[in-house]
C-alpha cells in the first residue's frame, strides 16, 4: 500500500536559506531542513514531497494538486504569509490539516509581518524555533492525520 504523503511547501526566497540574512534565518540550507523533515516523516511511515517556489501561482497549483491526495500540508509561505489571500483561499479549499511554519517569529518583527493570512486556515503555527520547527511541524501534521484517521 502507498504510504501517506506530507506536502512541505516553501515560498519565495526560502531557496536562499543559509545565505540569506543568517542572523535571522540561520546557516542551514533549505535542503538541510527538507532532509530533516523527510527523515522524521519517513520514520513515522509517511513520505514527504517538497516544493519551493518564488511564484504564488505555483504554490496555489501545488495546493490544488494536493486535494484528496495528500494527507497534510506544512507550509512556510515566506512573505506571501502576510498578504496572499489567494493562498489562504487555496488552503481553505484543501481537505486535510494545514500547519503553518516560520523559522523566525514574524509577530516579533516589523509590523507588516504581524498579520498572517495562513494562520486562520492552519491547525497550528510553529514560529521562532529555527530548523527545529521543521520537526515540530511534521509531528503536528502527522498527529493530526492520525487523529482524523478512520
Ligand atoms: C519567514 C518569515 C516571513 O516574514 C519572511 O518573509 C520569510 C521567512 C520565516 O520563515 O521566518 O521569507 O516565513
Amino acid at each position: 500500500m502507498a504510504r501517506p504523503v506530507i506536502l512541505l511547501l516553501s515560498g519565495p526566497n526560502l531557496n536562499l536559506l543559509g545565505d540569506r540574512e543568517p542572523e535571522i534565518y540561520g546557516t542551514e540550507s533549505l535542503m538541510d531542513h527538507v532532509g530533516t523533515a523527510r527523515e522524521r516523516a519517513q520514520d513515522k511511515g509517511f513520505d514527504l514531497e517538497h516544493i519551493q517556489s518564488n511564484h504564488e501561482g505555483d504554490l496555489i497549483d501545488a495546493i490544488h494538486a494536493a486535494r484528496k491526495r495528500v494527507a497534510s500540508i506544512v507550509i512556510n509561505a515566506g512573505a506571501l504569509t502576510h498578504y496572499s489571500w489567494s493562498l489562504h483561499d487555496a488552503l481553505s479549499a484543501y481537505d486535510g490539516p494545514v500547519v503553518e511554519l516560520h523559522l523566525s517569529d514574524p509577530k516579533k518583527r516589523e509590523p507588516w509581518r504581524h498579520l498572517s493570512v495562513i494562520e486562520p486556515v492552519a491547525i497550528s503555527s510553529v514560529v521562532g524555533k529555527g530548523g527545529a520547527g521543521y520537526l515540530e511541524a511534521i509531528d503536528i501534521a502527522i498527529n493530526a492525520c492520525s487523529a482524523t484517521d478512520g
Side-chain angles (χ1 to χ4, degrees):
M1 215 173 92
R3 307 210 305 171
V5 174
I6 305 280
L7 175 62
L8 175 62
L9 287 176
S10 302
N13 302 308
L14 294 178
N15 54 313
L16 300 181
L17 284 179
D19 199 35
R20 165 197 190 204
E21 301 177 274
E23 65 288 359
I24 298 175
Y25 299 118
T27 52
E28 287 179 290
S29 71
L30 180 58
M31 284 310 120
D32 291 335
H33 296 310
V34 173
T36 303
R38 177 164 287 129
E39 209 173 298
R40 182 64 139 240
Q42 288 178 344
D43 281 352
K44 296 193 169 188
F46 285 69
D47 281 335
L48 185 121
E49 288 177 15
H50 174 247
I51 294 173
Q52 188 277 329
S53 180
N54 295 321
H55 305 280
E56 185 178 20
D58 288 348
L59 296 167
I60 291 167
D61 287 345
I63 295 165
H64 291 180
R67 296 175 75 216
K68 302 182 177 65
R69 183 182 71 83
V70 160
S72 177
I73 294 177
V74 174
I75 180 166
N76 183 344
L80 290 172
T81 302
H82 312 301
Y83 64 90
S84 176
W85 291 105
S86 312
L87 214 47
H88 164 101
D89 283 355
L91 290 167
S92 295
Y94 168 68
D95 43 328
V98 174
V99 179
E100 177 184 23
L101 171 65
H102 299 286
L103 290 149
S104 67
D105 182 351
K107 292 197 193 330
K108 293 191 174 150
R109 299 178 62 194
E110 304 93 315
W112 63 267
R113 294 186 203 270
H114 294 185
L115 172 70
S116 167
V117 300
I118 308 296
E119 197 176 327
V121 291
I123 56 161
S124 185
S125 300
V126 178
V127 303
K129 300 197 169 156
Y134 281 80
L135 289 175
E136 189 173 326
I138 293 293
D139 286 348
I140 293 169
I142 288 175
N143 288 340
C145 292
S146 313
T148 56
D149 211 10

